[in-house]
Amino acid sequence: MTAPLNPADLEVLLDFYVASGVDVALADAPVNRFEESAQHAARAQARAKAPPALPAAGIGTAPSARQPVQSQAGQPARPAPALARPAGSAPPHSGSPSAGATIPGDGAVMAAREAAGQAATLEALREVLAGFEGCNLRLTAKNLVFSDGAENARLMFVGEAPGREEDAQGVPFVGRSGKLLDQMLKAIGLSREEVYIANAVPWRPPGNRVPSPQEAEICKPFIRRQIELVDPDVLVFLGGASAKLLVGTNDGIMRLRGKWLDYQTGSRAIRAIATLHPAYLLRTPIQKRLAWRDFVKIKAALDGRA
C-alpha cells in the first residue's frame, strides 16, 4: 500500500504546478502519457510490419493506369475529372495554420508602434495596451501589469516581464522581489511612491519563461512610449534583458552593470544604468554589494553629484 503524501510535499507540488502555468485540472485522475505514447508506438510498429490487406474481387478495385478502361464504343474512356474544391478552401497539406493558432508577425510590431504613438498620456497608453491584441501573451496572462509609482518621477525602473505574483495583482515588482526593491530604495532615501516602475513586457509569459525576441519586439514600442511620457532624469534597467532590448547592447549584466549609458528618446538623451535584478539578488545574496554600489551612483546622479 502506498503511503499518503505529506501535506508539505503536496504544497510544494502545487506551487510547482502554479509556477509552471498549470491552473486547470482536465481529469479527476492523472494519466500516464508516457505509457500512452509507448502503446501508440507499439501499435504503429505492428501496423507497419503487417502485410497489406488485399481488396475483395470487384470491391474497391480501380482500373490500372496502364490499361485504360474501354468505353462501349471500344475507345479509351476519358479519365474522371478531379473533384473541385469548394471556393475559398485551402489545398491539401497547404501548411496553413488554423485560425486559433495565429502567430503574430512583423505586422504586429508595426501595429504596436502605431498604437503606442497615438497615446498622449500614460492613462491613454494603458487603455491602448489593454485593448491591443497583437501579442499572444495577453491570452494566457491574468492581468495587464502596466506600472506602479509616481507618473512624474525623476527615477524610473524597467524590468523584463511580470512573474506569478505580479500577474495575480496586476502590479510590477511585488512579492519577495518587490520587498527587496523597496528596501534598496529605502537605503538611498526613496520610497516606491516616489519612483516609477514598469516592465519591458507587460504580460506574464506562461510558466515564467523568458519572453521570445518577437514578443519583446511587439511590446517594445509601448515601453519606449512609457519612458517618453514619464521623462525621468535617470532610467534604471533591472537586469540585462531590458537593457539589451532598449539600448541594443549585447553585453551580459555583469559587464554592463554600474556603467552609465545614454538612452535616446528621439527628443533627448536620458542617463541610464543597469543593475542586478532583485530576483537574482535573492538567489545570490553575495552580489548585493554590487547592487549597492549601483544604487549609490543612482543617488549621486539624482543629487547632481555624478
Side-chain angles (χ1 to χ4, degrees):
M1 183 176 179
T2 304
L5 288 175
N6 187 294
D9 295 335
L10 287 173
E11 185 176 356
V12 171
L13 180 61
L14 289 174
D15 287 341
F16 169 75
Y17 284 155
V18 172
S20 301
V22 178
D23 55 4
V24 176
L26 300 181
D28 294 333
V31 179
N32 190 335
R33 301 299 182 187
F34 295 103
E35 182 179 352
E36 277 189 354
S37 299
Q39 294 174 354
H40 177 76
R43 288 194 296 267
Q45 188 176 10
R47 287 194 299 268
K49 291 181 179 180
L54 295 176
I59 301 177
T61 57
S64 171
R66 296 183 180 180
Q67 298 178 354
V69 177
Q70 299 294 320
S71 67
Q72 292 181 356
Q75 299 296 326
R78 294 181 180 179
L83 295 177
R85 292 192 304 270
S89 64
H93 308 293
S94 63
S96 59
S98 64
T102 302
I103 300 176
D106 293 339
V109 178
M110 297 303 297
R113 292 174 182 171
E114 182 178 354
Q118 294 176 352
T121 65
L122 287 168
E123 184 57 35
L125 183 63
R126 179 195 289 268
E127 294 178 2
V128 168
L129 193 53
F132 182 71
E133 299 182 352
C135 183
N136 284 349
L137 290 178
R138 68 188 298 273
L139 302 177
T140 54
K142 292 182 179 179
N143 287 298
L144 168 69
V145 182
F146 186 72
S147 68
D148 192 22
E151 295 185 355
N152 60 346
R154 297 180 58 210
L155 178 60
M156 178 174 178
F157 293 89
V158 178
E160 181 180 19
R164 178 168 61 92
E165 295 184 58
E166 286 80 7
D167 181 37
Q169 299 185 35
V171 180
F173 285 90
V174 294
R176 295 180 63 207
S177 294
K179 290 179 180 178
L180 179 55
L181 179 59
D182 292 346
Q183 293 172 359
M184 296 163 71
L185 288 171
K186 185 177 180 180
I188 59 172
L190 294 173
S191 66
R192 176 180 287 256
E193 293 73 22
E194 297 175 274
V195 302
Y196 189 89
I197 308 172
N199 279 308
V201 175
W203 293 286
R204 179 203 180 198
N208 281 4
R209 65 166 172 80
V210 176
S212 70
Q214 187 180 44
E215 291 164 347
E217 281 299 321
I218 292 173
C219 297
K220 183 177 177 179
F222 295 105
I223 186 61
R224 285 187 60 88
R225 185 59 178 154
Q226 222 169 335
I227 296 171
E228 292 172 7
L229 292 172
V230 176
D231 195 28
D233 294 334
V234 177
L235 179 64
V236 181
F237 303 116
L238 293 172
S242 56
K244 291 179 181 179
L245 178 67
L246 294 171
V247 179
T249 179
N250 291 321
D251 290 339
I253 185 60
M254 285 303 180
R255 179 174 294 182
L256 188 64
R257 57 144 295 275
K259 298 179 181 178
W260 286 110
L261 308 166
D262 283 335
Y263 174 81
Q264 301 292 336
T265 64
S267 59
R268 77 179 186 96
I270 297 177
R271 297 192 72 183
I273 191 171
T275 190
L276 302 173
H277 196 286
Y280 171 78
L281 296 177
L282 289 172
R283 298 191 301 268
T284 318
I286 194 173
Q287 302 292 20
K288 288 182 179 180
R289 56 190 176 84
L290 300 180
W292 168 245
R293 295 174 189 172
D294 299 337
F295 270 66
V296 170
K297 289 185 178 181
I298 293 168
K299 176 61 173 175
L302 291 172
D303 292 344
R305 294 182 286 105

